[in-house]
Amino acid sequence: MMVESASETIRSAPSGQNGVSSLSNQPDGGGGGGGGREGAASGDSNGELSPVELLHFQQQQALQVARQFLLQQAAGLSSPSSNEGKQPSVQVPVSVAMMSPQMITPQQMQQILSPPQLQALLQQQQAIMLQQLQEYYKKQQEQLHLQLLTQQQAGKQQPKEQPLGNKQLAFQQQLLQMQQLQQQHLLNLQRQGLVSLPPGQGTVPLQTLPQAVCPSDLQQLWKEVTAAQPVEDSIKQEGLDLTTNTSNSTSFSAAKVSPPISHHPLPNGQSTMHTPRRDSSSHEETPGSHPLYGHGECKWPGCETLCEDLGQFVKHLNTEHALDDRSTAQCRVQMQVVQQLEIQLAKESERLQAMMAHLHMRPSEPKPFSQPLNLVSSATLSKSTSDTFPDGLPHPPTSATAPITPLRQGPSVISSSTLHSVGPIRRRNSEKFCTPISSELAQNHEFYKNADVRPPFTYASLIRQAILETPDRQLTLNEIYNWFTRMFAYFRRNTATWKNAVRHNLSLHKCFVRVENVKGAVWTVDEHEYQKRRPPKMTGSPTLVKNMISGLGYGALNASYQAALAESSFPLLNSPTMINTSSASGMLHVGHDDVSSTVEQVNSNGSSSPRLSPQQYSSHPVHVKEEPAEAEDDSRPVSLLATATQNVTIPDDRDLEEELPVEDLS
DNA sequence: CGAGAGATAAACACCC
DNA sequence: TGGGTGTTTATCTCTC
């Protein structure tokens, strides 16, 4: 029986709200775990500034960065032409707007929406996310303020409370981390051309921030940073009120919008949205600039085509990046990148929350986060079920005792596809999407191991994985159970349920063969059957797929883009499969959700993107071997596209921090 | 709308 | 007798 956890709000898809039975990941204890928290190079620095001041300053810095980021995002991804200074609403059909994009799977998106709508939707999502981020930062900042005050008070009254200093330090670190996160985000975006920050501005200084903590440096940095955003500046100078900021920036952008350049006469209305850059951050904001144009080249992810001038660029944009499946797909990928980063951000903030809670600093109130933003709220219906972040933002534990750590920062689990169903359900998505379970597992091994998050794989694929991971490819039921519990924190509870499911799957699927052994019965996998299990079908738009294969040839994703993806810890994309363009042709007959086979293939042919760390795959212990001969033939191709298409399901996210994909699964 | 697939629940049989 | 295993069936939900 699933316990419906009430109180957690989740954005339920507008349409299929039928009680998605979600197995609420009820926070049951466990907080620990969180992987290595590499403290941001914290500085020991409080030079002449009092800790409090420093903290305050850092807060501002962080907010500044966040704001910058938000603005840039807004500029690049959402329609700047916001309505008169209100919430940056998005011009998307209400029907669409009502939907929570994050809960829509790629297929749904494609099916439900026409390309123009889809793009609009994507933009909308970006806008929403931005809002959420803004909101989030605002709250965060308010909280910190509050806490600071509290602390100051406390400090006066009980000077003895010496741990205070430490606490502040910890906070500083946390803040720094957040800053770094923001920077990463920015960098990623920059790389992808979504943000055109002149090198050296904004980001650079910030990066050094952690180390350069002496007051003077900070001041300097501050100047540099602020210099990058002339306008915003003033706003924040006085008190970083993100709230006003929200509207300000919005209205600002609206006002600042350079004369609509008719770039993008696309039929999809996108042009309007992708309006001219505005804002602050994009310094190169020449009146005739374009968010996707900078430094003389097209900043479209994976493009980098040189264009002498804007006119040429516009032309290029219209011809090369017109509304088609490929562009749509790229857009989606971009969306995912952003989402991933957001998730990462959420994680960090969650950690911060935990820290604050731990330090008894006004336990973070859930509301700030769960409270949907206006815009979103309309589309959000809180359906108390699971605890994913509906809005992509962290939902702090409802109760102070709730687990704060690794929960739901997960990889795929949180990905959009999963968002709508955290619980038990629909993980099959990912499977269908050909998510390489082995690779994903390898990459997120630690995560799944510690986070009480349901892995986005079907029982069948997990069982198979478990079996294939063993040298002799056979396991007893009990060993399978053990594998589950060892590999996934999620399966350390509700045992009756999932064990039953495991047994059920073993019996049900022909691909699992029971073999009488000396010591009893063991289960093996009939790969052939397994592959047959599902007819090759690809999720997502077939046309899209085709295009990807032919036209795009994922190899087209240039280095920077890939790198960006990699950076954003986008396993799926990082995964070899994604990169293995050479096998793109094979994708046509995709179809197996299987995973390891995919990986194997890639591994075997050794092709890979030069850019991605080879270690990524080299670290797959499993899989390379097993595929029974027969399965070989058709099992391979799978994923590239699939992945590409579906990565909406993004599996991953391995923490930026946990860099290495875990070398061994077992 | 129907089929297929996956998840979950549960009944039941076997065996140790 | 009880627990672990297996097998089946039923019901939902979701995707196609």
Side-chain angles (χ1 to χ4, degrees):
Chain A
M1 305 247 62
M2 330 255 85
V3 183
E4 288 278 319
S5 78
S7 79
E8 307 238 54
T9 59
I10 181 171
R11 237 185 242 186
S12 69
S15 43
Q17 66 322 15
N18 1 16
V20 176
S21 74
S22 71
L23 198 165
S24 53
N25 280 340
Q26 275 222 342
D28 52 347
R37 63 203 41 185
E38 13 80 273
S42 67
D44 27 87
S45 54
N46 349 349
E48 286 105 59
L49 288 178
S50 72
V52 173
E53 286 172 316
L54 181 57
L55 180 55
H56 184 77
F57 179 77
Q58 289 179 332
Q59 276 179 249
Q60 296 194 351
Q61 282 283 347
L63 288 168
Q64 171 70 19
V65 178
R67 181 181 299 138
Q68 197 174 327
F69 159 66
L70 291 171
L71 288 171
Q72 289 171 347
Q73 283 287 292
L77 298 167
S78 67
S79 156
S81 58
S82 49
N83 331 342
E84 29 308 316
K86 307 227 162 124
Q87 300 273 339
S89 61
V90 189
Q91 292 96 71
V92 175
V94 177
S95 55
V96 176
M98 290 301 289
M99 309 174 88
S100 164
Q102 290 159 334
M103 321 229 37
I104 302 173
T105 64
Q107 302 100 310
Q108 288 177 316
M109 291 228 253
Q110 291 194 333
Q111 294 178 343
I112 300 173
L113 307 173
S114 64
Q117 286 177 317
L118 184 60
Q119 294 205 351
L121 179 58
L122 289 177
Q123 291 173 341
Q124 186 202 1
Q125 185 178 25
Q126 295 290 351
I128 291 174
M129 293 198 295
L130 289 175
Q131 279 192 323
Q132 294 170 336
L133 268 177
Q134 287 181 324
E135 183 71 310
Y136 171 67
Y137 275 106
K138 176 185 153 197
K139 301 289 183 192
Q140 196 82 342
Q141 185 239 324
E142 286 173 356
Q143 271 192 1
L144 286 171
H145 259 306
L146 232 145
Q147 288 158 1
L148 267 177
L149 289 176
T150 317
Q151 268 206 344
Q152 280 179 315
Q153 289 282 18
K156 284 177 196 162
Q157 295 169 355
Q158 5 181 318
K160 38 155 182 202
E161 171 104 18
Q162 53 112 266
L164 234 176
N166 292 333
K167 291 180 182 179
Q168 288 181 333
L169 243 168
F171 264 114
Q172 287 171 21
Q173 289 186 6
Q174 188 63 38
L175 285 167
L176 288 174
Q177 276 196 342
M178 291 179 68
Q179 289 177 340
Q180 290 182 326
L181 197 61
Q182 296 300 315
Q183 285 170 32
Q184 265 182 341
H185 209 148
L186 276 175
L187 284 174
N188 275 327
L189 293 170
Q190 259 182 287
R191 296 177 93 147
Q192 297 163 38
L194 283 181
V195 172
S196 47
L197 264 185
Q201 277 199 0
T203 57
V204 175
L206 285 170
Q207 268 180 321
T208 56
L209 185 62
Q211 291 87 6
V213 226
C214 78
S216 54
D217 285 341
L218 287 176
Q219 301 261 6
Q220 180 57 34
L221 291 174
W222 176 257
K223 277 179 200 157
E224 289 185 42
V225 174
T226 50
Q229 342 188 334
V231 181
E232 283 289 284
D233 246 355
S234 44
I235 299 170
K236 106 148 27 20
Q237 291 277 41
E238 59 232 30
L240 33 137
D241 178 346
L242 273 182
T243 326
T244 57
N245 181 26
T246 307
S247 44
N248 278 340
S249 60
T250 315
S251 51
F252 168 57
S253 51
K256 279 271 174 179
V257 173
S258 42
I261 295 185
S262 57
H263 43 274
H264 260 298
L266 295 182
N268 51 10
Q270 165 136 12
S271 50
T272 27
M273 315 195 87
H274 258 246
T275 6
R277 210 340 85 2
R278 60 54 173 12
D279 111 291
S280 17
S281 24
S282 28
H283 341 45
E284 35 188 333
E285 256 4 298
T286 2
S289 69
H290 186 286
L292 292 174
Y293 179 61
H295 297 3
E297 57 180 43
C298 174
K299 297 292 190 178
W300 183 278
C303 184
E304 287 185 3
T305 300
L306 296 175
C307 300
E308 291 175 19
D309 54 38
L310 192 67
Q312 193 184 332
F313 162 72
V314 171
K315 196 172 177 183
H316 159 79
L317 197 58
N318 291 328
T319 55
E320 299 301 312
H321 309 301
L323 173 61
D324 56 17
D325 288 342
R326 187 180 72 168
S327 297
T328 305
Q330 291 176 318
C331 198
R332 280 217 302 242
V333 169
Q334 180 57 31
M335 182 175 78
Q336 292 305 315
V337 170
V338 172
Q339 218 172 322
Q340 280 304 115
L341 290 167
E342 205 184 323
I343 289 170
Q344 179 65 25
L345 172 61
K347 269 194 322 195
E348 291 304 327
S349 48
E350 211 169 294
R351 183 184 297 179
L352 175 58
Q353 294 282 323
M355 290 170 69
M356 294 194 293
H358 173 67
L359 298 177
H360 306 302
M361 300 174 90
R362 228 66 224 72
S364 42
E365 295 302 314
K367 11 324 200 13
F369 307 89
S370 41
Q371 242 169 35
L373 308 176
N374 301 332
L375 210 181
V376 181
S377 63
S378 57
T380 308
L381 115 139
S382 58
K383 183 190 169 233
S384 48
T385 19
S386 63
D387 56 351
T388 21
F389 354 58
D391 26 22
L393 283 180
H395 280 221
T398 347
S399 71
T401 55
I404 348 190
T405 0
L407 276 203
R408 56 204 188 241
Q409 50 209 52
S412 7
V413 197
I414 311 176
S415 56
S416 52
S417 71
T418 7
L419 276 176
H420 66 298
S421 61
V422 172
I425 29 275
R426 284 349 86 154
R427 23 186 148 7
R428 84 176 147 200
N429 279 353
S430 63
E431 205 189 3
K432 278 191 174 170
F433 290 1
C434 307
T435 303
I437 187 175
S438 50
S439 85
E440 156 135 13
L441 268 185
Q443 292 178 352
N444 301 300
H445 179 226
E446 284 304 317
F447 171 76
Y448 290 123
K449 214 158 135 185
N450 301 309
D452 187 17
V453 167
R454 175 165 201 138
F457 308 107
T458 59
Y459 281 112
S461 54
L462 286 173
I463 294 169
R464 171 175 172 273
Q465 184 63 28
I467 295 172
L468 294 184
E469 273 187 28
T470 63
D472 40 359
R473 265 149 248 149
Q474 52 175 44
L475 283 178
T476 63
L477 180 63
N478 200 44
E479 288 170 331
I480 293 174
Y481 288 160
N482 292 336
W483 185 84
F484 271 67
T485 51
R486 189 180 36 178
M487 300 296 287
F488 307 94
Y490 179 85
F491 293 118
R492 284 171 207 149
R493 54 197 187 83
N494 295 323
T495 58
T497 300
W498 66 261
K499 283 182 176 176
N500 183 23
V502 167
R503 289 195 305 276
H504 167 74
N505 274 268
L506 285 171
S507 296
L508 193 67
H509 301 301
K510 280 190 272 191
C511 58
F512 297 120
V513 183
R514 184 169 175 277
V515 178
E516 285 295 339
N517 201 329
V518 226
K519 0 176 209 174
V522 292
W523 291 92
T524 61
V525 179
D526 179 338
E527 202 62 30
H528 190 54
E529 277 298 321
Y530 185 83
Q531 303 298 350
K532 278 200 315 189
R533 216 170 33 136
R534 232 168 295 148
K537 86 170 82 164
M538 194 146 188
T539 337
S541 148
T543 52
L544 173 61
V545 172
K546 249 179 250 163
N547 279 337
M548 303 278 271
I549 297 169
S550 53
L552 176 113
Y554 238 97
L557 282 186
N558 69 16
S560 64
Y561 193 46
Q562 286 180 13
L565 291 173
E567 269 196 20
S568 64
S569 60
F570 213 140
L572 241 188
L573 294 176
N574 290 342
S575 77
T577 49
M578 207 41 195
I579 309 154
N580 179 1
T581 55
S582 64
S583 60
S585 56
M587 311 221 111
L588 288 180
H589 51 106
V590 187
H592 317 272
D593 45 355
D594 175 359
V595 215
S596 12
S597 53
T598 306
V599 175
E600 294 173 54
Q601 166 190 9
V602 175
N603 282 343
S604 59
N605 64 17
S607 65
S608 61
S609 142
R611 308 219 164 233
L612 297 181
S613 60
Q615 62 189 52
Q616 291 217 357
Y617 5 124
S618 58
S619 58
H620 294 281
V622 191
H623 8 350
V624 190
K625 28 182 182 165
E626 36 257 307
E627 275 327 284
E630 43 215 281
E632 270 176 22
D633 37 61
D634 55 346
S635 53
R636 336 257 106 188
V638 185
S639 21
L640 208 174
L641 306 183
T643 324
T645 330
Q646 7 237 351
N647 45 36
V648 183
T649 320
I650 327 175
D652 152 66
D653 122 336
R654 79 227 211 146
D655 311 331
L656 295 178
E657 331 163 342
E658 306 178 328
E659 358 227 76
L660 291 194
V662 181
E663 22 320 316
D664 59 294
L665 282 180
S666 40

